[in-house]
Amino acid sequence: MKIPENLKYTKDHEWLRVEGNEAFIGVTEYAQGELGDIVFIEVETVGETLEKEETFGTIEAVKTVSDMFMPVAGEVLEFNEELEATPELINQDPYGKGWIVKIKMTNNNQVAELLDAAAYKMLIGA
Amino acid sequence: MTNTAFTKFHIEMGAKMVPFAGYNMPVQYEGLVAEHHTVRKAVGVFDVSHMGEFWVKGPKAFDFVQKVTSNDVAALFDGKVQYSCFPNGKGGIVDDLLVYRVNEITYLLVVNAANIDKDWAWCVKQAEIMGLEVGKEIYNASDEIAQLAIQGPLALKAMQKLTDTTVTDMEYYTFKKLTFAGVKDVIFSTTGYTGSGGCEIYMANEDAEKIWKAVYEAGAEFGIKPIGLGARDTLRLEMGFCLYGNDINDTTSPIEAGLGWITKFTDAKNFIDKDYLSDQKKNGVKHKLIGFEMIDRGIPRQHYEICDANGNVIGEVTSGTMAPSLDMNIGMGYVNTPSAKADTEIFIKIREKLLKAKVVKLPFYKG
C-alpha cells in the first residue's frame, strides 16, 4: 500500500499535496481500493470558497457513492478535467494523474492539523 | 458469520470478503468491471453456496408446491426448472425461487440466502396445514449443499470436459443428475442470474473442494476466473432480473413487479393469494416496476426519488448501477402506472437535482 511521505492525509481517506499557497487534493490508494472501479466524479464547486470539511464533490464507484470533503479551507481553482472521460485514473494512479481538484488555501495553518503518512498508516492499519 | 465450503479458496485467491446474509462472501477479486466482462465474454465462477435448498417429497409434494408458489407446477416435467415466487397471503412476496422437478413426487426449491429462515418457517406452516411430515416430506438441506454458478458463453463447453453426459446441448432452465469431476449425483442445471448462459452445479459440501479444483483446471484454457457478488449484481441488473430485498419484497406483488408471467391463474391451480392477484391482473395495479436508462449524467441508487418533470414524486428507485456492458447508467424502480409505459420521460432526484431518464423495456442487455 503506497502512502507517500510528502503528502498530508484525512480520516476520510483524502490526501493533500501543498505547493506554496495552493494544494492538490485526491483520494488515497486505500480509498480507491475500497471503492472499487470508479466510474464518475462530480465536482461543481470550481470558483467557490469552502470551509474545511465542506463537501466539494462526489465520487461514484459502480456500487457506491461517497462525498468528498475539503481537508482544509480554500477556493476550488480547478477540477482535473481528465477525470471526466477517464475516472479510472483514480484507480490507476491515485496520487498522480488521479488528482481531483486544485485549491487555493485560505488558512494555511490547517495543514498542520492533518495526518502525516505515519499517522494515516496507523489509521488504516497498513 | 458462516463460511461456505469455498470460503478458504476465496481468501487464498485474494478476494475482498464481506458479510452477506450471514455468510462470509467474496464481493470482488480483480475488480468488479473486469469480472463483469469475464462473464459476458468468457466464463466466470460464482460461489452461490449461501443459497437455500428445500426438498419436497412424497404423494403431497405436487399439491404443496402448487399451493405455495405462483407459477404452474403442472407445466413442469422431469428435469425442468421453473422461476417462481411464494406469495405471502397479504399480496406481497415471501421470496422468489427456482422449482426443480426431479420426478412427479420429488421437487427441489432453491431460495435466497437472506430468506432461508423466513422461507423455511413459511413452508413449515403451510406443510403442517397440508399434512406433510416436516423433516421428511419437506426437508431443509441448505446447510448440506454447496453450489457454484459457472456463467458465460464458454461455460458449458468448459464444464463438458468434466462429465461424460452431454451438457452442451441442454435447453435453458433444465437439469440433469450426473457424475461430474468423478463425483456422483451432482445436479447440473442450465440456470443462472447473469443472462450470459452457463450452469449452476449443486453438490454435497464434502465434494466441494474436489469440484472447485476440477472446475478451475477444466476452465483454465477458456480463461476461467472467480467472480464476486459485486459483478453478480451488475450482471443481473443489466438483465432486469429482480433482486429480493431491492426490487421485490413482502409488500410488492408479483403483478406489480412485472412477474405476471410466473403467476398462473389456470382453473386447476389453487395457490396462496390467487384471488387477490387475479383481481390485480384484471383491474390493474397502482404502481409498477419499470426499468429506466439515464439520459442525463448520473448514477441512480436504491431509494432515490423518481419524479415527473415538475418535481412531483411518482416513485422510488429500487436498484441502480453503471452498466459495464452498456456503457450507460441504468436502474429499476416503482412508478405510478400512468408513467410506466416505455419511452416515458422521468426524472431521478440525485443530490437535489432532477436528472432526466426514460422508461425502457427489460432486459437492458440484449446480448
Side-chain angles (χ1 to χ4, degrees), chain A residues 33-37 39-40 42 44 58 60-65 84, chain B residues 16 28 31-33 233-234 297-299 301 304 320-322 351 353:
Chain A
E34 288 296 301
L35 288 165
D37 293 303
V39 293
F40 184 36
E42 189 172 66
E44 294 184 330
T58 51
E60 301 240 22
V62 180
K63 296 313 302 171
T64 53
V65 55
E84 282 278 347
Chain B
K16 186 163 140 192
Q28 69 165 49
L32 192 161
V33 172
D233 194 52
T234 53
R297 199 163 175 193
I299 302 175
R301 308 283 183 189
Y304 284 4
T321 188
M322 185 277 280
R351 296 187 282 282
K353 278 185 297 192

